[in-house]
Amino acid sequence: MLDPVTLEVMRNALPAISDEMSYDLQRTSYNMMIYEVQDYCTALLDVDGALISQNIGGVSHFVADLGAVIKDGVARFGKDGFSPGDVVMHNHQATAGQHLNNVVIYTPVFHQDRLVAFAVVRAHWADVGGQSTGFGGTGAYDPWSEGLQVDQLKIYEAGRPDEKVLKIIRDNIRYPDAAFGDLRSQLAACRLGERRFCELLDRYGHDDVLAMIAAIYAETEAKARAAVAEIPDGTYEAEAKMDGPRGTPPFEIKVKVIVAGSDMTIDLSGCSPQRENSGLNSRTYAGAYIAYKALTAPMEPLNEGAFGGLNVVLPEGNMMMAKFPAFMASWGSPLPTVVDAIWRAFAGALPDRIPAAHSGSLGAPFALSGQDPARGAGFVAQSIEAGGWGGRPDADGEDVSMSVCQGDVRNTPIETMELKAPLMVGERALWADSGGPGKFRGGLGVKTTIRSLVDGRWNAGPPGHRSGYAPWGLRGGKPGAIGFTMIREPGGDYERSLAPRVFGPAGTEVIYRTSGGGGWGNPLERDVERVSRDVREGYVTPEQARDAYGVVIDGSGRVDVAATQALRDGAEVA
């Protein structure tokens, strides 16, 4: 029998280790994708690749793939092939299934000369060579043109750095000082995780700690199963679409969810096959894992037990389980749509829980890189401009929030971008009328304008891959607005930006518009005062108030009660 008080201490101590690793990484990293955007996760895994703990707010779509990296490393080296002081680097898509910028650094944890765990940090590097600067090589056509591939490479062995290997890596990265600063930051976080886990083992004993971890797994699984058991048994299906490469058919996201007692099967085998020359391929269970976690125990700390009651059907060759060397630079783009589609499948069975679709995108990926003559150095400025969430059965959708797949990822503050890069942000504001009309309005997208002060290379592609498929509404709610990106060189006109990477002279401006969420419920049932407030706050224009909500705002900004009643009753309005 385990002491329940000690078990509760352990239940909180393990996530605290991952959280402390996260703080260490964020405060010591070099690139703003880590210290501002927080595009990373920190974790402890056991020697078999099971997740012991992950930091709160860690990027959600990293959850399913850390174990795959560790299992591959153990298969490669054997459990006896690691030594104290080893440091392994990995980003290879055959295993990791993501764009090459997501670099994993992990270290073996030894206690009393025995391998007991691995400390792991996955973080977004600003550049890994090739066409990777910013957000993955979306202008490339295969992994080799995307960037540097590192496959379970020991960059330190028994505490000694392999200087030749490190030099090869350094020589193939445009901004090596920043990259190696991030590498050292990841390594420091791993070392901290090692120390803290060994302190627990010293205090409570190896066998007792392992027994408590197993108990925590079992209790976490039981909580998730209890949530599934409340869903009526049955088979639930839904589908959505995403843009195919220009001139090709759309990608199809088809989901089938089977609930039987406390077991849930998420079948993604109906999704489109992988395609060449399309960065939307990925190799991950993350879409199914994120949707399941949100439906079962979203606020519970994350560990391997969270998915013990889930079976995922995802055959190799599917766009979500692509086989190397499929191109995966935009690997995460389908995930929000996969999650939305899984939730949509439950819209009838769980009418009081399922929201309308959110923006369906990881956001508008902004990156500007080049040489800053004032500083005499290169620079990379990055941010992610978020979209709106879907209206809910009891509330409006959240405005300008990152997708469900991104944890605590956020945009880069304007002050940071302008301080550290030669650019100016002209506007970052809510995009009026972008939220889908409904009894509960969809969240608004954002409108952002950025101007370069020097020549540079932009990552200025569309905000996501659903330019033809708006975020859907539910229960009579209307779809949200579809986002787009515009670019204008000095003296020219704004044009839709379709190319993911473009060179722009000083003075080039880029305008981002991100999608709003879908509405929930009949817009004509929205409370008139809420519509009036939305107009006053600039969330909804008077024109949309009239046309979508049947609310007439007079010249003084007040609700014309009689005209509103007549319009909502279907009578003519003078």
Side-chain angles (χ1 to χ4, degrees):
M1 295 291 293
L2 294 172
D3 171 26
V5 174
T6 305
L7 181 62
E8 195 63 25
V9 169
M10 188 64 60
R11 191 191 317 280
N12 290 275
L14 293 169
I17 294 174
S18 299
D19 290 342
E20 191 176 359
M21 292 169 64
S22 168
Y23 302 145
D24 190 54
L25 176 74
Q26 186 180 6
R27 293 174 180 177
T28 60
S29 56
Y30 278 52
N31 105 65
M32 61 182 68
M33 281 298 292
I34 299 176
Y35 65 76
E36 289 287 7
V37 177
Q38 299 185 35
D39 191 353
Y40 65 82
C41 73
T42 55
L44 292 173
L45 287 89
D46 68 20
V47 294
D48 296 314
L51 183 68
I52 297 173
S53 66
Q54 180 177 314
N55 67 301
I56 294 175
V59 174
S60 308
H61 57 226
F62 290 169
V63 61
D65 309 305
L66 297 178
V69 172
I70 295 302
K71 290 173 184 177
D72 182 69
V74 170
R76 190 82 53 92
F77 300 115
K79 292 181 181 177
D80 296 331
F82 293 97
S83 300
D86 284 354
V87 180
V88 185
M89 180 176 178
H90 185 77
N91 72 344
H92 202 277
Q93 293 167 341
T95 304
Q98 304 183 4
H99 65 195
L100 298 176
N101 297 69
N102 288 343
V103 175
V104 174
I105 300 294
Y106 70 90
T107 62
V109 182
F110 281 83
H111 183 255
Q112 298 178 351
D113 299 324
R114 175 166 51 176
L115 177 66
V116 293
F118 292 93
V120 186
V121 177
R122 170 178 267 135
H124 183 118
W125 284 22
D127 182 274
V128 287
Q131 297 194 43
S132 68
T133 305
F135 290 91
T138 50
Y141 54 88
D142 65 15
W144 293 270
S145 59
E146 180 183 351
L148 184 66
Q149 301 176 86
V150 181
D151 187 9
Q152 299 290 0
L153 196 60
K154 286 190 178 183
I155 55 177
Y156 284 66
E157 293 198 58
R160 296 174 60 88
D162 190 324
E163 298 295 350
K164 290 182 179 178
V165 168
L166 292 173
K167 186 177 187 306
I168 290 172
I169 296 171
R170 187 180 186 91
D171 289 346
N172 282 277
I173 295 176
R174 293 180 181 85
Y175 307 97
D177 291 341
F180 273 63
D182 291 338
L183 189 156
R184 291 191 297 271
S185 179
Q186 289 176 268
L187 176 54
C190 287
R191 294 292 188 226
L192 175 61
E194 293 177 37
R195 294 196 304 273
R196 294 291 185 259
F197 191 60
C198 286
E199 289 168 4
L200 288 180
L201 296 174
D202 288 337
R203 182 172 182 178
Y204 297 106
H206 177 268
D207 292 342
D208 282 353
V209 168
L210 290 189
M212 284 187 279
I213 289 174
I216 292 168
Y217 287 171
E219 291 181 4
T220 302
E221 179 179 343
K223 289 179 180 179
R225 285 184 173 277
V228 173
E230 295 179 357
I231 302 173
D233 286 0
T235 299
Y236 306 97
E237 299 185 54
E239 59 183 74
K241 292 184 178 180
M242 301 186 66
D243 304 329
R246 201 177 309 176
T248 65
F251 286 94
E252 295 184 330
I253 305 296
K254 294 184 178 181
V255 303
K256 178 189 295 184
V257 187
I258 302 169
V259 176
S262 66
D263 291 314
M264 181 182 291
T265 297
I266 297 179
D267 185 347
L268 299 175
S269 60
C271 294
S272 293
Q274 70 182 67
R275 296 186 194 176
E276 297 300 320
N277 298 321
S278 170
L280 294 184
N281 301 309
S282 63
R283 188 176 181 85
T284 179
Y285 291 112
Y289 277 31
I290 293 166
Y292 180 82
K293 184 75 166 70
L295 286 165
T296 54
M299 304 305 294
E300 293 289 323
L302 190 61
N303 60 63
E304 196 70 22
F307 309 108
L310 173 65
N311 175 46
V312 182
V313 178
L314 189 51
E316 193 166 60
N318 186 291
M319 64 179 290
M320 305 303 300
M321 189 53 65
K323 185 176 181 180
F324 184 80
F327 182 43
M328 302 183 187
S330 296
W331 75 282
S333 293
L335 295 178
T337 300
V338 171
V339 175
D340 266 347
I342 294 170
W343 289 348
R344 188 182 194 179
F346 285 111
L350 304 172
D352 296 329
R353 292 182 58 191
I354 302 301
H358 70 328
S359 63
S361 165
L362 297 179
F366 154 68
L368 175 65
S369 61
Q371 292 293 315
D372 184 354
R375 293 183 173 88
F379 70 91
V380 182
Q382 294 176 269
S383 182
I384 300 176
E385 302 300 293
W389 279 52
R392 295 163 281 180
D394 58 356
D396 293 343
E398 295 293 339
D399 301 319
V400 191
S401 295
M402 295 298 173
S403 85
V404 68
C405 300
Q406 291 169 286
D408 280 347
V409 165
R410 58 194 187 189
N411 61 24
T412 302
I414 293 171
E415 296 81 0
T416 298
M417 290 194 287
E418 293 185 338
L419 178 66
K420 298 193 174 183
L423 59 82
M424 290 187 66
V425 179
E427 179 183 37
R428 179 184 271 163
L430 296 175
W431 181 20
D433 292 347
S434 57
K439 179 179 180 180
F440 295 106
R441 173 179 54 77
L444 301 180
V446 72
K447 52 180 182 178
T448 303
T449 302
I450 301 174
R451 177 165 60 90
S452 64
L453 302 180
V454 300
D455 297 349
R457 296 191 177 278
W458 293 83
N459 186 325
H465 295 268
R466 279 189 12 201
S467 62
Y469 309 98
W472 57 81
L474 283 180
R475 304 279 171 177
K478 305 302 181 184
I482 297 175
F484 58 89
T485 303
M486 305 285 286
I487 189 166
R488 179 180 68 84
E489 292 190 3
D493 296 325
Y494 281 108
E495 298 179 357
R496 285 287 181 111
S497 178
L498 300 176
R501 297 181 183 277
V502 295
F503 175 82
T508 298
E509 282 191 343
V510 172
I511 294 179
Y512 296 96
R513 296 286 189 274
T514 61
S515 299
W520 195 99
N522 185 346
L524 296 179
E525 295 178 6
R526 185 169 179 80
D527 182 76
V528 171
E529 286 305 314
R530 294 175 71 93
V531 178
S532 176
R533 183 207 62 185
D534 284 348
V535 173
R536 291 195 305 271
E537 296 292 340
Y539 303 156
V540 171
T541 62
E543 292 75 20
Q544 190 184 65
R546 176 189 175 98
D547 297 341
Y549 294 99
V551 176
V552 180
I553 307 295
D554 64 24
S556 64
R558 295 185 177 89
V559 175
D560 185 327
V561 177
T564 294
Q565 187 63 50
L567 185 58
R568 285 194 162 187
D569 289 344
E572 290 291 329
V573 178

